[in-house]
Amino acid sequence: MNRTRRQSEGKLSIAFPKPTAQVEPYVEALGFEDALRFLDTFGGTEVYIPENPKGRGEVEKLLGREKAKMLASIAFRLPARVPTAKVWRAKAHKSKGLPVVEIARILGVTDFSVRRYLRGFASPPNPNQPELF
């Protein structure tokens, strides 16, 4: 989990977790914060992204016209259904300093699930640890 902070351009910035392959196009187009907001809002649903937004769509209301256009420009790279990316989102929210219970509310899961996501869920097993089951 990347929770370290680094000094850049006189401001304190947060080291965010590396985006997964399914999240990476969103982060490239929108930036970290907006990609996280987009996934929190639309994750798990099908979203229509018009090529020329006219101010009425939910995507444009959330992101603004320019970011909605940017997302539309890469729509060919995006799946029809927005990924939930719960593990990545949990790590991203934790890197922003949110407590586990608040992350659980945002993701719609239990605090036990969030702790599991943050524990290194995908890390390789320790060869020195014996298998119990």
Side-chain angles (χ1 to χ4, degrees):
M1 169 173 46
N2 290 333
R3 195 156 179 220
T4 61
R5 296 177 187 260
R6 58 179 174 253
Q7 192 76 23
S8 68
E9 301 171 14
K11 290 171 61 177
L12 200 60
S13 65
I14 300 170
F16 298 115
K18 184 177 189 266
T20 61
Q22 68 187 51
V23 171
E24 192 170 14
Y26 297 97
V27 173
E28 286 174 5
L30 304 173
F32 179 84
E33 292 288 336
D34 286 332
L36 186 56
R37 276 191 319 143
F38 181 81
L39 293 171
D40 283 343
T41 304
F42 297 112
T45 62
E46 289 185 26
V47 176
Y48 174 68
I49 304 168
E51 289 182 26
N52 189 14
K54 295 183 178 27
R56 297 183 301 251
E58 293 297 316
V59 173
E60 190 176 358
K61 286 177 187 173
L62 178 72
L63 302 171
R65 185 177 180 87
E66 292 305 312
K67 296 262 181 153
K69 279 185 167 183
M70 182 67 82
L71 198 57
S73 72
I74 65 157
F76 67 93
R77 292 175 54 196
L78 304 176
R81 187 172 306 277
V82 178
T84 58
K86 288 183 180 183
V87 174
W88 181 81
R89 287 170 46 213
K91 290 177 181 179
H93 284 301
K94 189 66 177 172
S95 73
K96 292 172 54 177
L98 292 180
V100 169
V101 292
E102 191 170 338
I103 296 169
R105 284 188 206 112
I106 292 169
L107 299 180
V109 298
T110 66
D111 58 320
F112 294 108
S113 293
V114 172
R115 285 188 185 93
R116 188 180 72 231
Y117 297 160
L118 298 176
R119 188 173 51 220
F121 178 72
S123 63
N126 183 348
N128 298 326
Q129 178 70 33
E131 293 248 354
L132 299 178
F133 300 99

